[in-house]
Amino acid sequence: MYYNTEVVHKASIVDQIIPVLILIASVLIGLWEVLPRAINMMSTLYLGDLSAAIPIMTETGIFFVIWAIVLYIGGSGILRVHRFKRYARKIGTDKTIELMYLADIADETEEFVIKDVKKMIKKGWFRNGVVDEEKALLIIKEQ
């Protein structure tokens, strides 16, 4: 896998590790908070005590929403790093590339890739990168 470091900046270790840590945290939240509360709620409902089950259901719902958000953030970060590596391989040493090619390798729409590449540029992963939306190009300018 060769790509020109003047064109593509390697995703930092922090950018690669943080999504994994967030994903691990979401699994721990699920195991530590959501699962026991869900079991408690089910057992309370099984015993027929609806008035005691309502507060438990509320707590379980809140923790489930928090868990789902954390899981989404971690998963999307991991996927973004993965897509970046695929984009970098496709770009190689070129200074311009049509975004439709990146959309093909990512199996996403061109609009998604435009937003995705802009986020990567903002993170500094594409050095001096600019998205030309009219021509649907990623342009890497000289430093």
Side-chain angles (χ1 to χ4, degrees):
M1 170 177 66
Y2 174 76
Y3 51 85
N4 187 347
T5 55
E6 292 176 11
V7 175
V8 177
H9 179 67
K10 194 174 181 183
S12 73
I13 193 73
V14 172
D15 289 327
Q16 295 180 38
I17 295 294
I18 287 180
V20 173
L21 293 176
I22 291 172
L23 202 58
I24 291 169
S26 72
V27 169
L28 293 176
I29 288 171
L31 292 175
W32 188 261
E33 292 292 340
V34 177
L35 187 61
R37 289 174 191 277
I39 291 169
N40 187 14
M41 178 186 69
M42 296 303 253
S43 65
T44 306
L45 285 173
Y46 180 74
L47 295 173
D49 191 2
L50 185 59
S51 62
I54 291 175
I56 297 170
M57 292 167 88
T58 304
E59 287 178 7
T60 304
I62 290 169
F63 279 105
F64 179 78
V65 168
I66 292 169
W67 171 73
I69 290 170
V70 171
L71 185 66
Y72 174 77
I73 291 169
S76 64
I78 290 171
L79 292 174
R80 181 168 291 114
V81 170
H82 180 68
R83 283 191 308 272
F84 168 73
K85 289 177 180 179
R86 289 178 18 202
Y87 294 165
R89 273 187 246 125
K90 182 69 176 174
I91 292 169
T93 59
D94 296 339
K95 298 283 185 183
T96 62
I97 188 165
E98 290 186 41
L99 292 173
M100 70 177 197
Y101 294 129
L102 298 181
D104 286 343
I105 64 166
D107 199 26
E108 296 287 350
T109 65
E110 202 168 301
E111 292 79 23
F112 176 86
V113 171
I114 289 171
K115 290 179 188 175
D116 200 29
V117 169
K118 283 182 177 182
K119 289 177 186 174
M120 292 174 188
I121 290 170
K122 194 173 186 179
K123 287 180 172 273
W125 294 357
F126 291 113
R127 292 186 176 163
N128 300 320
V130 176
V131 174
D132 182 351
E133 291 187 46
E134 289 181 20
K135 297 178 184 174
L137 292 172
L138 169 61
I139 304 167
I140 312 294
K141 295 184 177 182
E142 294 294 326
Q143 292 188 16

